[in-house]
Amino acid sequence: MDKLEGLANVEPVRLGPKSKFKFDCHPGVKCFTRCCKDINIILTPYDIIRLKNRLSLSSEEFLALYTEPQILEKTDLPVVMLKLLEVEDPDSEGKACPFVRENGCLVYEDRPTTCRYYPLGVATMSHKEDSDGEEFYFFVNEPHCLGFEEDKEWTVSQWRENQGVDVHDKINAEWTDLVVRKRSFPPNMKFTEQTKKMFFLVSYNIDKFREFVFESSFLQRYEVDGASLEAMKNDEIALLEFGLRWLKWLLFKEGDFKMKEDAIG
């Protein structure tokens, strides 16, 4: 895997939820879809679920067709980036998102979290509900973007709500916290390769994780209540949330997971 380093230039302006800015993006803006080219988009667990369902693919099929594995800088954790395609336009160079067309995004309703935030980025120490003051926002600095010349005014909170970011952040919260926590570790403290495989499985291959829970010896080793089991059979979000809680226990021994006595012995 390649090591993923700096993703974009950012303006050194710290923004809060009530910070105001002017921005709009629509086909009438001359740079429309330019931000979908030559980009680095790290996909979150919920991004994978939304996109693979939109395309009627299994998580494994989506990963193979549309992503590239990377190692996230300062974490040594495996993540995936959206795989870009060579631009077919003879007048253009570089690569572009596989879902962008001249008139916009083919998967707009299910677009990734990073796309929803744009032109904002988010920096956080935690996504926990009690982490007031630890999260802030900034402008992604791309000279080609003309959206800032539009008259539409937003607060950061209004933009997040309008773009549906709140839902994504809520579902990805435990995952984000795991990544941020690992980033705080000293460089010499590394997870085993098997642990990183489990992180990748839960984070990105939700269909295989379901098989892991229900078709391996997992349920013979861990105590899982009936309501959780029933929810996970039919609800991918419930399965993801369960998996992230299990990862938290596996990586940091935090949470209420319990191994069965005969499994411990």
Side-chain angles (χ1 to χ4, degrees):
M1 292 186 186
D2 295 331
K3 181 149 291 193
L4 184 62
E5 298 182 350
L7 297 182
N9 295 322
V10 300
E11 288 190 24
V13 178
R14 184 170 178 143
L15 306 172
K18 296 181 180 180
S19 298
K20 294 182 179 181
F21 65 99
K22 289 185 177 182
F23 182 83
D24 203 4
C25 182
H26 54 81
V29 181
K30 290 183 179 180
C31 63
F32 187 61
T33 73
R34 177 63 185 85
C35 57
C36 305
K37 299 175 182 177
D38 298 319
I39 48 174
N40 293 316
I41 296 180
I42 296 177
L43 297 175
T44 69
Y46 189 46
D47 292 339
I48 298 292
I49 290 175
R50 290 284 295 264
L51 287 167
K52 66 104 174 174
N53 289 340
R54 173 65 177 261
L55 300 170
S56 299
L57 297 172
S58 70
S59 51
E60 199 155 28
E61 289 170 333
F62 179 83
L63 290 170
L65 290 171
Y66 292 107
T67 72
E68 294 179 328
Q70 301 282 347
I71 297 297
L72 188 61
E73 183 185 23
K74 297 181 180 179
T75 69
D76 197 39
L77 290 174
V79 295
V80 295
M81 288 179 56
L82 192 63
K83 184 188 298 183
L84 304 185
L85 301 179
E86 294 290 343
V87 177
E88 296 181 359
D89 185 350
D91 296 325
S92 301
E93 295 182 356
K95 296 183 177 182
C97 170
F99 306 120
V100 69
R101 298 295 184 269
E102 185 177 347
N103 60 344
C105 177
L106 294 177
V107 295
Y108 185 79
E109 296 83 359
D110 299 292
R111 64 198 184 281
T113 307
T114 297
C115 304
R116 292 170 185 270
Y117 260 111
Y118 189 86
L120 300 178
V122 59
T124 181
M125 293 303 295
S126 174
H127 264 291
K128 299 299 185 185
E129 292 182 359
D130 59 356
S131 62
D132 291 345
E134 294 186 350
E135 181 176 275
F136 64 92
Y137 309 89
F138 51 84
F139 291 126
V140 177
N141 183 15
E142 295 192 305
H144 62 74
C145 181
L146 303 177
F148 289 105
E149 298 178 6
E150 298 291 298
D151 292 328
K152 180 73 173 178
E153 186 173 70
W154 311 84
T155 64
V156 170
S157 291
Q158 288 171 338
W159 180 257
R160 294 180 75 248
E161 181 179 0
N162 179 267
Q163 298 297 307
V165 173
D166 293 358
V167 175
H168 281 244
D169 281 353
K170 182 178 180 180
I171 294 173
N172 288 319
E174 289 287 353
W175 182 80
T176 302
D177 196 62
L178 291 175
V179 172
V180 171
R181 184 179 299 196
K182 180 60 176 69
R183 183 176 285 142
S184 69
F185 280 19
N188 62 334
M189 293 184 65
K190 298 182 180 295
F191 292 143
T192 65
E193 290 303 311
Q194 183 62 26
T195 298
K196 287 188 282 189
K197 287 180 180 179
M198 289 297 102
F199 176 85
F200 187 90
L201 179 71
V202 174
S203 300
Y204 294 119
N205 202 338
I206 195 71
D207 295 323
K208 281 294 182 182
F209 179 61
R210 182 186 291 106
E211 291 181 13
F212 176 71
V213 171
F214 289 102
E215 299 179 21
S216 75
S217 61
F218 186 92
L219 296 178
Q220 298 172 21
R221 291 181 286 130
Y222 293 96
E223 295 182 4
V224 184
D225 65 271
S228 295
L229 284 175
E230 194 61 31
M232 288 190 289
K233 289 178 182 178
N234 305 302
D235 186 340
E236 290 179 320
I237 304 305
L239 179 62
L240 173 63
E241 291 174 344
F242 173 87
L244 292 173
R245 291 197 303 272
W246 176 65
L247 273 181
K248 184 177 180 180
W249 181 86
L250 184 69
L251 302 181
F252 305 112
K253 292 298 181 284
E254 293 182 8
D256 55 0
F257 267 85
K258 294 181 180 179
M259 297 191 72
K260 294 182 177 180
E261 291 187 8
D262 53 350
I264 297 175

